[in-house]
Amino acid sequence: MNKIKITTVLFFLIFPFLTLSAQLTLVRNKKPVSRIICLDSSSVNKEAADLFNEFVFRISGTRLPVLSETNLRKGDVVIGGKTDESQEDGFLIECTDEGLRIVSGGDKGAIYGVVTILEKYMGVSYYAKESYSLTKSETIQLPKFRNVETPAFRYRQTFSYGNEDPVYVKWFRLEEPKDLFASNLWVHTFDRILPSDIYGKEHPEYYSFINGKRQPGNHSQWCLTNPEVFEVVAQKIDSIFKANPDARMISVSQNDGNDTYCSCENCKAVDDYEGAHSGTLVRFMNKLATRFPDKEFSTLAYLYSMQPPKHVKPLPNVNIMLCNIDCRREVPLTDNESGQNFLKAIEGWSAITNNIFIWDYGINFDNLVSPFPNFHILKKNIQLFKKHHATMLFEQVNGVEGADFSEMRAYMLSKLMWNPELDTDSLMRSFMNGYYGQAAPYLYQYRKIMEGALLASKTPLWIYDSPISHKDGMLNDYLLKTYNELFDQAEAAVEKDTKILKRVRAARLPLQYAELEIMRTTLKGDRDDLARKVELFRTRTMEAGVKALNERGNPPAEYCDLYLQRFLPGGQINKASKAKMIWTIPPADKYKKLAETALTDGLYGGSSYVEGWVGWVGTDADLIIDMGEEKVFSTVEADFLHQLGGWVLLPKSVTYSISSDNKTYSDFGTFSFAEDRDLAIKFAGAKVQSETPVKARYIRVFVDGLKLCPSWHYGVGHEAWFFMDEIRVD
């Protein structure tokens, strides 16, 4: 039989295990009746006491006295002790007419026990940052209850802008890397531990051998079979732990970027034997785990290292952070083709370790403020993770204000990370009713219609998605009309409540953004009406505090300015409109068909290279534009995309030549690009203007590409892309 371990025998004398019904009074007529007793002075118990007392005050207007003594009396709220009935972050809570006790299963269990009491038995609901509901009362009484809980995952994290609210973090039982990882080293840490800027020049052999040579760089990896690398890293790790004596865990993990692993003779031999690029990685981590047996080492199974090795097994104190970044999100991971590779990986890792940390994604990195209806898959995916021995879970969602139902997504995921058996539809309704009030029925209908439309369209939903990909599916004209009607009804239902109206308008932002993105691809509609919609989007994003529209930080105001300048039909005439293309160096195969029309169709590509743009990889571009007849012009300009996260870099230069017979060409001019390391997404024009007008039928466009990603880039040593769209001749 499990026993409750309490720091004093007096507790058992005061709190016998009663079975009679009871009702405990905490406050009567705004006067404290009970006391809060902390059995020890730990910071967790103090936080638990403060949280409990804060909401006693918010409900009743008074606080209970907080004491640290062993002279207990009937009716006390006693916080402290350790129970064997629960585990890390879990708790035992019990209320009788003798008092209320909150006993921890470990770590922050006392805090989470308080949260459960407040939520289940005192009528407090927390929804989002500084957003909660309760019923004020001058008297607070608790019914009899006994509740024991242990979370499904020992570590639970979301990427949420609500985390600056300390109550929010406690309420949703969330943790942050700084709470667990030494020196906040928790992901993509190779270059932080062994900076290539410091070691790369003198010791290139420490870094990846890629395409025939050593490639030191911020996103290059380590040569994991080099014994010198291990010793230098071990010394660094030792100093980090000595500087953080209370820390037990650290992440030693690959830099961000794909296929930048070391392929030297020794590393390749290990990975070939292990059948996966994780082979060298796990062997290296096992050596660290052996050198520091009282510490825990987390490392990434990400992109090239996602699949497990065939032979070596991670030691118990090696934590595998398995990422499903490439998977689509329209159906559960078990049901879509892209999820099968991840399913193979999680099954493989779970067969050789019980120490798995899942990094799951529910966010659109390229279009943060865009519809992302994946609520129907959350529960099944989390259950999948739990089934395969995951003990830690990071849900990368809700990173910015204005993201698609970001508050509700974080609310539901936080609940499911604690208990994956909860009903998601009930969670959604509870949140909507509490957060959106009378607007909830319309928003619920909107969400459900879009979910059905996504499934019916069979169009993938992924984390680098564009609304334009769904313009014939869940965002077709008829559905957009329906969605807007529902939002009109939702706004009308709460028009007298300015706080909730603001929330509803924030929830509408992804729909407004999707409409703007789709409209810019059609060249249809009234220009003035479209301009008004742009300005409304500008105003509403400001009201909602939206700071960025993509992970690269481009702000809404910049988007609106560019939209008015770049995308609105302006009546300008492009003399190269619908010109014929003659290729010497054509684009990548997947863009060849699009390239026949896209470069002179009058439509400008947006921030996502998945639509509108024509791409070349690892090469130059060489093409001739045939305008059909001789025309007089003085300016030629080609448009390029700068998006470093997608390995899309600006070329070196663009050279234009002109001809009347496609035989003899004369130079028109060259535009050179400066190197740009800015992470923001940009559109860059290669514009050349003649002082006097010229006459020609053919224009040759030669683009001198970078060919390979530079040392500072994610794809160091690998082929670089450039994307070109509209070519204008004026």
Side-chain angles (χ1 to χ4, degrees):
M1 177 179 179
N2 291 329
K3 295 181 180 179
I4 308 300
K5 300 175 183 176
I6 303 298
T7 55
T8 173
V9 177
L10 286 175
F11 186 88
F12 290 102
L13 299 177
I14 298 298
F15 290 107
F17 290 99
L18 299 180
T19 58
L20 301 175
S21 61
Q23 184 166 270
L24 178 67
T25 301
L26 302 177
V27 176
R28 181 183 291 116
N29 299 325
K30 296 188 70 172
K31 295 187 181 300
V33 175
S34 184
R35 308 179 304 170
I36 299 175
I37 306 297
C38 291
L39 291 180
D40 62 64
S41 58
S42 71
S43 60
V44 170
N45 285 351
K46 184 179 185 305
E47 284 186 58
D50 289 345
L51 181 64
F52 188 81
N53 219 7
E54 175 62 27
F55 278 91
V56 167
F57 173 75
R58 295 185 191 187
I59 293 169
S60 67
T62 192
R63 298 181 190 273
L64 305 181
V66 181
L67 306 171
S68 55
E69 60 176 69
T70 57
N71 184 22
L72 307 179
R73 72 188 189 195
K74 184 176 181 178
D76 281 344
V77 177
V78 180
I79 301 175
K82 176 74 167 64
T83 176
D84 289 335
E85 292 188 60
S86 184
Q87 298 175 24
E88 182 179 342
D89 284 346
F91 53 81
L92 181 152
I93 52 177
E94 184 171 32
C95 183
T96 71
D97 55 6
E98 294 296 323
L100 173 65
R101 58 176 177 162
I102 302 164
V103 190
S104 175
D107 199 10
K108 299 178 183 177
I111 296 172
Y112 303 145
V114 164
V115 169
T116 301
I117 294 168
L118 293 172
E119 192 166 48
K120 286 189 175 181
Y121 306 110
M122 292 175 65
V124 184
S125 295
Y126 222 90
Y127 303 108
K129 174 185 173 183
E130 298 170 355
S131 174
Y132 63 92
S133 66
L134 53 77
T135 301
K136 290 185 178 294
S137 175
E138 294 183 356
T139 297
I140 301 176
Q141 293 179 317
L142 295 178
K144 173 188 173 182
F145 61 80
R146 189 177 193 275
N147 191 355
V148 179
E149 294 186 23
T150 293
F153 301 91
R154 66 183 172 105
Y155 178 91
R156 304 154 306 280
Q157 178 189 348
T158 64
F159 181 53
S160 171
Y161 66 83
N163 285 359
E164 62 268 29
D165 173 5
V167 175
Y168 177 94
V169 174
K170 295 182 181 76
W171 200 277
F172 291 106
R173 305 166 171 94
L174 300 175
E175 298 181 87
E176 297 182 88
K178 63 181 177 61
D179 300 329
L180 185 63
F181 292 89
S183 197
N184 204 22
L185 288 164
W186 81 283
V187 71
H188 298 315
T189 62
F190 274 9
D191 203 62
R192 292 177 62 190
I193 295 171
L194 204 65
S196 57
D197 291 346
I198 296 175
Y199 293 91
K201 186 175 182 180
E202 189 172 342
H203 293 285
E205 71 276 10
Y206 287 2
Y207 300 93
S208 290
F209 185 81
I210 303 172
N211 291 329
K213 68 175 183 177
R214 295 288 176 179
Q215 300 271 8
N218 299 344
H219 298 276
S220 177
Q221 312 303 341
W222 295 341
C223 180
L224 294 168
T225 57
N226 185 329
E228 286 187 30
V229 171
F230 176 78
E231 291 302 329
V232 173
V233 169
Q235 291 173 22
K236 292 271 190 177
I237 297 296
D238 186 52
S239 64
I240 291 169
F241 278 124
K242 285 179 178 176
N244 299 269
D246 295 331
R248 182 180 178 274
M249 193 171 190
I250 191 171
S251 174
V252 181
S253 52
Q254 67 199 61
N255 295 320
D256 203 359
N258 199 11
D259 295 333
T260 53
Y261 52 85
C262 183
S263 59
C264 74
E265 184 177 350
N266 291 336
C267 287
K268 185 177 186 302
V270 172
D271 286 347
D272 286 349
Y273 172 74
E274 295 289 355
H277 294 300
S278 59
T280 47
L281 195 61
V282 172
R283 290 189 182 193
F284 191 90
M285 295 305 137
N286 281 353
K287 288 176 67 177
L288 285 174
T290 302
R291 178 73 64 90
F292 303 93
D294 61 331
K295 305 299 182 182
E296 188 172 3
F297 293 87
S298 180
T299 196
L300 282 166
Y302 172 68
L303 295 175
Y304 68 81
S305 63
M306 186 172 79
Q307 295 299 331
K310 290 181 179 179
H311 305 290
V312 66
K313 296 181 180 181
L315 292 176
N317 58 328
V318 172
N319 172 259
I320 302 299
M321 181 183 277
L322 177 59
C323 310
N324 55 26
I325 189 169
D326 277 340
C327 299
R328 304 303 189 255
R329 310 285 153 174
E330 72 281 358
V331 292
L333 292 165
T334 53
D335 297 347
N336 68 41
E337 185 177 350
S338 67
Q340 296 308 303
N341 197 37
F342 174 78
L343 196 61
K344 176 185 175 184
I346 195 172
E347 288 173 348
W349 285 111
S350 67
I352 60 175
T353 180
N354 292 321
N355 194 354
I356 298 175
F357 187 155
I358 297 292
W359 184 339
D360 188 31
Y361 302 78
I363 192 170
N364 185 338
F365 287 119
D366 279 352
N367 295 281
L368 294 171
V369 185
S370 182
F372 202 81
N374 74 326
F375 292 93
H376 57 291
I377 72 169
L378 302 181
K379 178 176 179 176
K380 287 187 176 181
N381 283 351
I382 291 177
Q383 288 176 328
L384 174 70
F385 307 149
K386 179 64 178 175
K387 175 184 175 183
H388 289 89
H389 307 166
T391 62
M392 306 173 74
L393 179 55
F394 169 40
E395 290 286 351
Q396 188 168 12
V397 299
N398 194 38
V400 298
E401 292 90 337
D404 189 42
F405 284 103
S406 57
E407 297 87 359
M408 183 168 72
R409 196 181 307 275
Y411 173 93
M412 293 174 64
L413 281 168
S414 299
K415 299 280 189 180
L416 290 168
M417 285 193 288
W418 185 268
N419 180 5
E421 301 305 315
L422 295 175
D423 181 72
T424 52
D425 197 63
S426 295
L427 290 174
M428 180 179 288
R429 288 180 181 273
S430 295
F431 178 87
M432 284 193 168
N433 290 334
Y435 194 69
Y436 295 114
Q438 296 300 312
Y442 307 106
L443 300 187
Y444 178 81
Q445 190 177 357
Y446 161 72
R447 185 76 290 165
K448 286 299 181 179
I449 291 174
M450 184 176 285
E451 174 188 311
L454 171 66
L455 293 173
S457 72
K458 298 183 179 180
T459 304
L461 183 73
W462 70 310
I463 63 173
Y464 295 104
D465 218 342
S466 166
I468 297 163
S469 302
H470 299 275
K471 67 180 181 181
D472 296 320
M474 69 176 185
L475 297 175
N476 68 47
D477 290 344
Y478 298 114
L479 287 169
L480 288 176
K481 183 174 183 293
T482 300
Y483 302 151
N484 277 308
E485 288 171 351
L486 288 169
F487 266 105
D488 288 344
Q489 291 173 289
E491 290 189 24
V494 295
E495 61 182 348
K496 294 181 181 179
D497 189 326
T498 55
K499 183 167 69 173
I500 295 183
L501 178 61
K502 183 178 179 180
R503 293 174 183 171
V504 173
R505 286 177 171 172
R508 193 171 190 164
L509 287 172
L511 180 61
Q512 291 175 277
Y513 177 78
E515 284 188 290
L516 290 174
E517 283 292 277
I518 290 170
M519 286 177 181
R520 70 171 175 76
T521 68
T522 64
L523 289 181
K524 296 178 182 177
D526 179 77
R527 188 182 191 281
D528 292 338
D529 180 60
L530 191 51
R532 283 191 291 271
K533 289 181 178 180
V534 171
E535 293 304 333
L536 180 61
F537 183 71
R538 185 198 303 270
T539 300
R540 293 286 165 82
T541 50
M542 289 178 61
E543 290 175 354
V546 179
K547 299 178 181 64
L549 296 182
N550 53 58
E551 71 165 332
R552 304 306 169 189
N554 294 77
E558 176 189 80
Y559 171 80
C560 293
D561 290 341
L562 278 170
Y563 201 104
L564 296 174
Q565 300 163 12
R566 178 182 174 82
F567 300 127
L568 279 188
Q572 304 97 330
I573 297 175
N574 180 8
K575 294 183 179 180
S577 178
K578 299 180 180 180
K580 178 183 176 182
M581 299 294 153
I582 303 170
W583 304 103
T584 302
I585 304 177
D589 288 345
K590 65 184 294 186
Y591 296 101
K592 284 181 179 178
K593 183 177 179 181
L594 175 69
E596 295 296 333
T597 56
L599 294 178
T600 58
D601 62 1
L603 300 174
Y604 284 82
S607 59
S608 300
Y609 59 84
V610 297
E611 51 80 21
W613 293 96
V614 178
W616 284 257
V617 60
T619 185
D620 301 321
D622 195 356
L623 63 139
I624 295 171
I625 301 171
D626 179 3
M627 296 187 289
E629 62 182 11
E630 286 190 311
K631 296 182 180 180
V632 177
F633 56 91
S634 57
T635 301
V636 181
E637 180 176 12
D639 201 37
F640 291 86
L641 177 66
H642 168 89
Q643 195 195 90
L644 297 184
W647 296 23
V648 179
L649 293 87
L650 296 175
K652 296 177 184 177
S653 63
V654 183
T655 298
Y656 304 109
S657 307
I658 57 175
S659 173
S660 293
D661 58 8
N662 198 20
K663 294 179 182 179
T664 304
Y665 279 84
S666 59
D667 179 59
F668 185 78
T670 296
F671 182 94
S672 297
F673 287 102
E675 182 181 77
D676 192 341
R677 301 190 185 189
D678 190 356
L679 291 177
I681 296 173
K682 301 177 184 178
F683 310 115
K687 184 176 182 179
V688 173
Q689 187 166 5
S690 172
E691 293 182 359
T692 58
V694 298
K695 188 175 184 180
R697 171 178 171 175
Y698 301 93
I699 302 174
R700 183 184 179 190
V701 181
F702 179 81
V703 183
D704 186 8
L706 283 181
K707 315 297 191 300
L708 296 178
C709 296
S711 62
W712 50 266
H713 187 262
Y714 306 97
V716 53
H718 289 277
E719 292 182 328
W721 285 87
F722 68 82
F723 278 86
M724 179 165 55
D725 186 16
E726 201 66 9
I727 299 174
R728 290 193 54 83
V729 178
D730 296 310

